[in-house]
Amino acid sequence: MPIETQRQQDQDRSVAGRFEMRRRLPKPGLEGIVTDICGYREMASGHFRTIEYASLTVPLVISFAEPFAIALGRAPGDNDRFGSFAAGLYAGPVVIESFGRACCVQVNFTPLGARRFFRRPMSELTDSMVVLDDVLGAEGMALRERLGNAPDWTARFDMAETFVAARLGDATKTPLEIIWAYDRIIASGGRTRISSLAERLGWSRKHLAGSFSNAIGIGPKTLSRIVRFNRALGLSRQQTADWADIAADCGYADQAHLVREFRDLAGETPGALSAR
């Protein structure tokens, strides 16, 4: 879902009788750390399914109602239930199901911001959902209780922002070398050669990959794949999109390479995705 463009205003995406969704961009002090904060509540029974493609969002979900069913790269089973949790980066599709009684606040972190907030190697969250008390302990459980008792979404968003800002106060800074390399990959649309980044830093590719994994949970090669995929996905939504042109523009070897990447990162071919 697109991020709203009006800062500090709670945006209403409610559908009468079915669900309500509110969204807020973070205050200026959290820019580059948090992309947005969402509130979601279901008000009608049913079985709802969402597929999220590989992205660079690290979510913290704090639930006050029934859990979601979530699985990586497949349909969730009976044992795949998660209430309040954090999820690391995953290079593939995430299938999310709910059953009409979900209610939660979701704080979406950037990959670099997540390392500072969670204060741990992000490789510990990669390809997984980790329950709230394991990532934030008693502090996180206390936040869950306060959010659940808050009178409205505005109060909840204010609490969440205050909590995030407080944890960042004495957090360890991300090494400037990692920030530089990350920014280069993003700015190039995932087309920068990893060997060139390592050479500019005076690091080996192995050291660069290990440092990236610690900081954001994935290596620079995987980061580049996700960036290229999301750029291709964005270009495909233009009315004049041509898959061969998109493949060339995004740095894929050929259209067959693009198709393979879409299968891995979205779980679908480009054609199937466009048709849907």
Side-chain angles (χ1 to χ4, degrees):
M1 287 170 282
I3 298 173
E4 299 298 337
T5 57
Q6 188 169 356
R7 187 174 308 283
Q8 289 296 344
Q9 179 174 335
D10 301 346
Q11 301 293 322
D12 191 347
R13 292 295 194 205
S14 301
V15 174
R18 293 185 58 199
F19 70 89
E20 63 174 330
M21 178 179 291
R22 302 294 292 259
R23 180 173 296 227
R24 176 194 286 185
L25 288 178
K27 61 185 179 183
L30 297 181
E31 288 181 335
I33 303 293
V34 173
T35 60
D36 60 331
I37 305 174
C38 303
Y40 177 73
R41 181 170 72 97
E42 293 174 345
M43 299 178 289
S45 61
H47 183 187
F48 309 104
R49 171 177 284 193
T50 301
I51 300 177
E52 295 187 355
Y53 309 136
S55 75
L56 296 180
T57 295
V58 179
L60 172 65
V61 176
I62 302 175
S63 172
F64 338 114
E66 288 201 358
F68 295 92
I70 307 175
L72 305 179
R74 60 177 175 80
D78 292 339
N79 295 325
D80 298 315
R81 300 298 177 96
F82 298 90
S84 299
F85 64 93
L89 295 179
Y90 171 64
V94 180
V95 182
I96 305 170
E97 297 181 345
S98 58
F99 308 94
R101 291 173 292 276
C103 184
C104 66
V105 166
Q106 178 169 323
V107 183
N108 291 320
F109 292 91
T110 67
L112 293 176
R115 173 65 179 86
R116 292 185 59 195
F117 174 78
F118 289 110
R119 302 182 181 182
R120 64 176 64 208
M122 292 308 295
S123 55
E124 296 180 5
L125 272 67
T126 304
D127 299 351
S128 62
M129 282 73 69
V130 181
V131 296
L132 183 64
D133 54 346
D134 284 346
V135 287
L136 295 178
E139 189 180 19
M141 299 306 290
L143 174 65
R144 178 185 178 278
E145 184 173 357
R146 293 199 303 273
L147 290 175
N149 292 330
D152 52 43
W153 291 116
T154 298
R156 286 170 175 160
F157 291 168
D158 290 343
M159 288 179 187
E161 286 187 328
T162 299
F163 182 84
V164 172
R167 281 185 63 87
L168 294 174
D170 58 352
T172 301
K173 301 291 186 181
T174 303
L176 293 177
E177 296 89 344
I178 296 299
I179 296 174
W180 175 82
Y182 178 90
D183 288 344
R184 289 297 303 159
I185 291 172
I186 298 297
S188 71
R191 301 189 64 169
T192 294
R193 293 177 62 85
I194 308 306
S195 58
S196 298
L197 295 177
E199 183 178 354
R200 287 283 302 275
L201 290 170
W203 291 359
S204 68
R205 291 189 62 169
K206 182 178 180 180
H207 180 65
L208 178 60
S211 298
F212 252 72
S213 180
N214 180 288
I216 68 173
I218 56 176
K221 182 177 180 180
T222 302
L223 173 66
S224 297
R225 290 180 64 208
I226 295 175
V227 171
R228 280 197 303 270
F229 161 73
N230 277 282
R231 183 163 185 267
L233 190 62
L235 291 174
S236 74
R237 291 169 177 150
Q238 299 176 8
Q239 289 185 345
T240 58
D242 176 87
W243 286 112
D245 291 342
I246 291 173
D249 191 23
C250 293
Y252 292 104
D254 50 32
Q255 192 169 342
H257 182 200
L258 179 146
V259 171
R260 290 195 298 273
E261 289 290 272
F262 266 63
R263 285 187 183 275
D264 286 347
L265 302 177
E268 295 185 272
T269 65
L273 190 149
S274 295
R276 186 163 57 80

